[in-house]
């Protein structure tokens, strides 16, 4: 309800079979709890007013009437709750009985979506009682005239991103789930009122089904499953509630439990994903009924998002996934380089080997590429080019790593050449300005390019995605190469990839890699102080973990700076104060816009993630675009 965030709940009550009054009390209790927890919607299981396992009692008029009376009581009991409720019950219309989900809010019955696919196989025999969902038709229930059937969309008038659709249990498991059409016609949030019995292995399949289907429809999916209290005469029900968003599970209940499973979905992100994907089909097809509803102004004003996000969105949180992902990314980088070496016929590669993080990763990747091609590692020339800011620590690490990797190493001091260049252009060597710094970077690039020509080799770029986003590179200096293996790898991920190799390789090489990880990130262009690095990048441009957070959510999801700021404040609470986050966000936006010209002429490099700034890949932006709108939004925070 703010920034596109909307809190939802899947609820599993402890039902009593055919005891509608008891079930009403428990459903009302869970609905009140969901409202108290700030949820805008709560979904309950299939046929939760009566219980799913009533068998032939569904053919008894007494149970059907009791269900209607129970719904009427539930509408009255929840009249004061400003929450959208989805509750399952059987509804009889003329000579047919439908398995429906009542959708209601503040005592108003909005609609009765009905189940389309009626299972009648194995342990299921619903066709004995229920008819498939009809085309939308108006019926009267609980004294209110409402729509019943398929193709019902519930549109929120004062939360424009919120359009809800409902399907029931087997609908998701069928070959053409109704949610596909509902989503195509605008639904951003799908509720599934379900009663899925538990058998060995089914929970994993169910979880994957909900997760992947949420990605298929590029939407949010709330799956509410029946649990304890259902008859165990032939089946067992586990109450497996799942909330997913665009292929990611946000929340999940423990099996054989009751209560609420709560999560915040991001409806703004869902719409952005659909807009950026040109194969997504949006439609306004005939036959869909759009039913309006709204929240009270006070409810919207009181809503405060609580969802937090990974501080390092480019890095997997799951340790098991982390190792696999690091291996995959290193292989992708190496395969990209191997293909380029094979295509050009080059059997030599050159790297500016500073002993810093980026050049270390580039060397590790290049070694892998040469191993893939069966080329001798001595064809890799790592060159240390010490100058005014080089420290013994980084130079020593570079030499150690080169020796342990089995690659060629050469030291070419460039101080004398740079001083001669200063004399040529009239640069005062005591003036530590941009010319002082950039002359060193450009001299290193010149040495590398010329030696690459001498050896018929490929100069490997070391710059990473975070540096490219901030423009933290010297134009036509370290900005340029013949193939940039790190161009799609942000700084936070560079660190994890190097750590992965440090833990894997062992020996003196690992010792050097761990020391690289402990060394402050620096271009080492200014003279050291007492032998230590004096120029620390993160003190100058800001913490890379913040910048990578900003970069990911701005480019991957198209979020504005206000939303990113509020997300960062929640996610980095206790680590950075809001004013600090705001300040570095301003730096990020200002630099990102001002430095686009460096990204417009990037050399080739492999894409390995979902965010890229290559002009031939994900990002096309005029170099003279203004940041004024973004900076204004930040200033108004």
């Amino acid at each position: 309800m703010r920034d596109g965030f909307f809190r939802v709940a899947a609820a599993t009550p402890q039902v009593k079979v055919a005891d509608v009054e008891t079930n009403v009390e428990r459903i009302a209790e869970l609905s009140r709890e969901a409202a108290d927890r700030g949820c805008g919607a709560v979904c309950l299981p299939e046929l939760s007013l009566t219980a799913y396992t009533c068998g032939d009692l569904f053919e008894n008029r007494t149970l059907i009437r009791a269900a209607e009376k129970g719904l009427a009581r539930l509408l009255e009991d929840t009249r004061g709750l400003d929450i959208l409720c989805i509750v399952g019950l059987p509804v009889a219309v003329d000579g047919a009985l439908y398995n429906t989900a009542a959708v209601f809010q503040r005592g108003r019955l909005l609609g009765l979506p009905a189940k389309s696919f009626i299972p009648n196989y194995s342990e299921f025999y619903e066709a004995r009682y229920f008819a498939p969902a009809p085309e939308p038709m108006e019926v009267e229930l609980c004294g209110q005239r409402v729509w019943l059937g398929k193709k019902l969309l519930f549109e929120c008038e004062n939360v424009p991103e919120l359009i809800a659709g409902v399907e029931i249990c087997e609908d998701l498991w069928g070959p053409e789930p109704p949610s596909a059409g509902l989503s195509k016609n605008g639904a951003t949030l799908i509720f599934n009122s379900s009663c899925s019995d538990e058998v060995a292995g089914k929970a994993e399949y169910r979880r994957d089904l909900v997760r992947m289907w949420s990605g298929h429809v590029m939407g949010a999916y709330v799956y509410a499953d029946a649990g304890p209290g259902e008859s165990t005469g032939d089946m067992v029900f586990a109450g497996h509630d799942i909330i997913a968003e665009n292929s990611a599970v946000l929340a999940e209940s423990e099996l054989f439990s009751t209560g609420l499973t709560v999560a915040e979905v991001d409806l703004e992100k869902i719409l952005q994903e659909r807009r950026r994907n040109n194969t997504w089909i949006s439609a306004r097809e005939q036959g869909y009924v759009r039913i309006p509803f709204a929240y009270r102004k006070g409810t919207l004003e009181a809503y405060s998002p609580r969802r937090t996000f990974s501080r390092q969105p480019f890095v997997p949180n799951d340790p098991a996934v982390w190792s696999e992902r690091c291996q995959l990314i290193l292989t992708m980088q190496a395969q990209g380089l191997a293909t380029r070496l094979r295509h050009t016929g080059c059997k030599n590669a050159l790297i500016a080997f500073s002993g810093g993080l980026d050049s270390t990763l580039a060397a590790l990747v290049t070694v892998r590429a040469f191993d893939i091609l069966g080329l001798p590692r001595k064809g890799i020339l790592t060159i240390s080019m010490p100058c005014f800011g080089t420290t013994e620590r980084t130079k020593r690490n570079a030499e150690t790593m080169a020796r342990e990797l089995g690659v060629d190493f050469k030291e070419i001091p460039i101080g004398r050449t740079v001083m001669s260049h200063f004399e040529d252009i009239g640069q005062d060597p005591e003036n530590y300005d941009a010319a002082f710094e950039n002359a060193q970077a450009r001299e290193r690039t010149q040495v590398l390019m010329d030696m690459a020509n001498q050896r018929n080799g490929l100069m490997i770029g070391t710059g990473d995605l975070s540096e490219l986003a901030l423009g933290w590179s010297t134009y036509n200096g370290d900005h340029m190469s013949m193939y940039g293996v790190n161009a799609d790898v942000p700084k936070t991920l560079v660190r994890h990839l190097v750590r992965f190799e440090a833990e894997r390789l062992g020996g003196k090489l690992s010792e050097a890699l761990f020391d690289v990880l402990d060394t402050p990130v620096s271009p080492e262009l200014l003279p050291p102080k007492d032998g230590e690095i004096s120029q620390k990048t993160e003190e100058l441009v800001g913490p890379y973990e913040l910048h990578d957070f900003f970069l990911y959510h701005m480019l991957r999801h198209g979020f504005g700076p206000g939303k990113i700021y509020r997300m960062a404040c929640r996610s980095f609470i206790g680590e950075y104060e809001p004013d600090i986050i705001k300040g570095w966000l301003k730096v990020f936006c200002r630099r990102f816009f001002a430095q686009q010209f460096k990204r417009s002429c990037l050399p080739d490099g492999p894409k390995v993630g979902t965010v890229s700034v290559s002009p031939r890949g994900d990002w096309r932006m005029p170099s003279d675009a203004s940041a004024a709108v973004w900076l204004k939004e930040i200033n108004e925070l």
Side-chain angles (χ1 to χ4, degrees), residues 35 44 61 372 383 568 595:
L44 288 106
R61 184 63 183 166
I372 289 170
I383 306 175
Q595 301 295 314

Side-chain angles (χ1 to χ4, degrees), residues 341-406:
L341 289 166
R342 187 184 296 113
H343 175 74
T344 58
C346 291
K347 293 180 173 57
N348 295 291
L350 294 88
I351 304 170
F353 208 28
S354 67
L357 269 175
D358 290 342
S359 64
T360 296
L361 178 59
L364 293 168
V365 168
T366 304
V367 164
R368 282 177 172 246
F370 270 59
D371 290 350
I372 289 170
L373 295 171
L375 296 173
R377 291 187 180 185
K378 284 296 183 181
I380 303 170
L381 175 59
T382 56
I383 306 175
S384 172
M385 291 172 277
C387 199
F388 312 127
T390 305
T391 60
E392 285 301 316
R393 180 181 185 181
T394 53
K395 189 167 74 165
R396 181 181 64 251
N397 281 333
E399 292 182 50
T400 301
M401 289 187 290
R403 182 178 63 252
E404 295 300 317
L405 285 169

Side-chain angles (χ1 to χ4, degrees), residues 182-345:
L182 292 168
S183 299
K184 189 170 69 171
N185 281 272
T188 52
L189 178 57
I190 300 294
F191 295 99
N192 188 312
S193 186
S194 180
C195 188
S196 176
D197 66 318
E198 205 60 42
V199 296
K202 191 174 183 180
E204 292 81 1
Y205 182 88
R206 186 189 298 114
R207 180 188 306 111
D208 284 344
L209 179 63
V210 171
R211 180 179 64 83
M212 293 304 294
W213 189 250
S214 73
H216 185 80
V217 298
M218 291 187 185
Y221 202 99
V222 180
Y223 186 93
D225 191 23
E230 291 285 356
S231 172
T232 57
D234 295 295
M235 296 177 282
V236 174
F237 299 89
H240 191 190
D241 295 343
I242 306 166
I243 301 174
E245 175 190 280
N246 200 18
S247 298
V249 173
L250 303 183
E252 181 178 7
S253 67
E254 293 184 6
L255 296 185
F256 303 102
S257 63
T258 59
L260 297 180
T261 299
V262 177
E264 278 185 340
V265 297
D266 189 345
L267 303 177
E268 181 181 293
K269 183 176 79 172
I270 288 165
L271 289 175
Q272 179 65 19
E273 286 294 295
R274 292 178 179 181
R275 292 187 190 112
R276 73 190 292 269
N277 189 319
N278 71 342
T279 59
W280 172 261
I281 301 173
S282 292
R284 284 258 175 175
E285 295 174 333
Q286 296 295 318
Y288 282 82
V289 177
R290 298 173 184 274
I291 302 164
F293 71 101
Y295 290 96
R296 296 188 184 109
K297 182 179 179 182
T299 301
L300 300 181
E301 292 175 347
Y303 183 80
S304 178
R306 300 172 192 162
R307 181 171 170 182
T308 59
F309 297 82
S310 170
R311 294 179 178 184
Q312 296 189 4
F314 291 101
V315 180
N317 291 322
D318 186 341
V321 175
W322 177 83
S323 178
E324 181 181 333
R325 187 70 55 82
C326 287
Q327 181 66 37
L328 174 62
I329 292 170
L330 287 164
T331 301
M332 292 172 70
Q333 290 176 274
Q335 287 287 354
L337 177 57
T339 299
R340 180 54 55 93
L341 289 166
R342 187 184 296 113
H343 175 74
T344 58

Side-chain angles (χ1 to χ4, degrees), residues 129 173 534:
Y129 321 112
W173 303 70
S534 64

Side-chain angles (χ1 to χ4, degrees), residues 18 20 50 55-70 90-98 129 140-142:
V20 175
T50 58
D56 284 355
L57 293 177
F58 283 123
E59 295 181 338
N60 193 293
R61 184 63 183 166
T62 300
L63 184 64
I64 305 305
R65 280 199 297 262
E68 181 175 357
K69 290 179 181 178
V91 174
V93 179
D94 298 328
L97 184 66
Y98 298 106
Y129 321 112
E140 187 169 311
L141 191 71
C142 300

Side-chain angles (χ1 to χ4, degrees), residues 75 117 171 222 294 350 410 508 519 547 601 633:
L75 292 171
F117 292 98
D171 288 346
V222 180
L350 294 88
K410 187 178 183 65
K508 292 183 179 179
T519 304
H547 287 312
C601 57
E633 185 172 324

Side-chain angles (χ1 to χ4, degrees), residues 83-101:
I83 184 171
L84 193 70
C85 299
I86 298 94
V87 177
L89 79 160
V91 174
V93 179
D94 298 328
L97 184 66
Y98 298 106
N99 183 343
T100 76

Side-chain angles (χ1 to χ4, degrees), residues 18-47:
D19 188 345
V20 175
E21 289 192 7
T22 296
N23 294 338
V24 166
E25 290 174 3
R26 292 173 179 172
I27 292 169
E29 181 180 343
L30 285 172
S31 299
R32 283 191 289 270
E33 183 184 346
D36 290 342
R37 292 175 64 175
C39 296
V42 58
C43 182
L44 288 106
E46 181 179 14
L47 299 168

